[in-house]
Amino acid sequence: MSDKTFSKDSADSVPLFEGHNYHGWYKQFKSHCRGIGAHMALNPRPTPPVDAAGIPVAQNAAQRAALVKLQELWDEHDNKAFSALMKACYQDPKTRKLTETEDFEQALPLLNRLRERYLSDVERQTGAAWSQFFNFSAQPTESGMDLV
């Protein structure tokens, strides 16, 4: 692995963002978040339950207290994940500009924006490669071995 793949800020190296390899980078980032105790921030912040009509469900004091504790834990995880994500995005000029020009305050919206921007490129490239593969055909004078 190259020196540019991980930051050198600490022993807990952050995988630097790779726009051309979003899937691989995201797996490494998820693993990093587990390692630093920030994995909860990769999911939405816990909210009070609502019924099918969107009306809040009544909770007793213990349920409310448990939700508040869970939200506080999620906030701690988000602080760690957001910091790591900002470090991961810093060296790539496009992602650095994205993080500096938009007002992200939590890790998940920034991750969603990166996924929206870079996953579509990866999917587009993969789709084009598959399309080219399936449309590939031999010339009338080529044998199978010549084609390969």
Side-chain angles (χ1 to χ4, degrees):
M1 201 165 273
S2 74
D3 290 341
K4 294 182 180 181
T5 304
F6 291 94
S7 68
K8 300 200 185 230
D9 293 339
S10 69
D12 297 322
S13 296
V14 176
L16 298 177
F17 185 78
E18 298 178 43
H20 63 280
N21 181 21
Y22 180 84
H23 285 292
W25 171 81
Y26 185 65
K27 287 179 183 180
Q28 290 178 11
F29 186 74
K30 284 192 328 186
S31 174
H32 177 74
C33 284
R34 285 184 185 153
I36 63 171
H39 56 280
M40 284 181 65
L42 301 176
N43 297 309
R45 188 173 195 264
T47 58
V50 294
D51 63 15
I55 300 170
V57 175
Q59 293 182 307
N60 62 33
Q63 290 170 323
R64 283 191 302 273
L67 177 63
V68 167
K69 275 185 152 181
L70 190 59
Q71 288 174 330
E72 289 172 353
L73 181 60
W74 186 92
D75 290 340
E76 290 175 21
H77 282 229
D78 183 63
N79 288 337
K80 293 175 189 175
F82 186 72
S83 176
L85 186 54
M86 293 297 280
K87 287 178 187 176
C89 290
Y90 186 75
Q91 284 199 355
D92 183 277
K94 291 179 184 176
T95 56
R96 183 176 55 233
K97 183 176 180 181
L98 175 73
T99 61
E100 291 172 350
T101 57
E102 294 192 31
D103 190 25
F104 294 104
E105 294 183 7
Q106 296 174 333
L108 192 57
L110 178 52
L111 275 172
N112 289 339
R113 180 67 180 95
L114 291 170
R115 182 180 301 118
E116 190 180 282
R117 167 66 178 90
Y118 290 96
L119 186 58
S120 61
D121 285 350
V122 170
E123 288 175 339
R124 195 175 320 118
Q125 291 168 357
T126 303
W130 278 112
S131 176
Q132 183 180 12
F133 175 76
F134 286 117
N135 290 325
F136 194 61
S137 61
Q139 298 296 321
T141 59
E142 284 183 307
S143 69
M145 290 303 291
D146 292 335
L147 179 65
V148 175

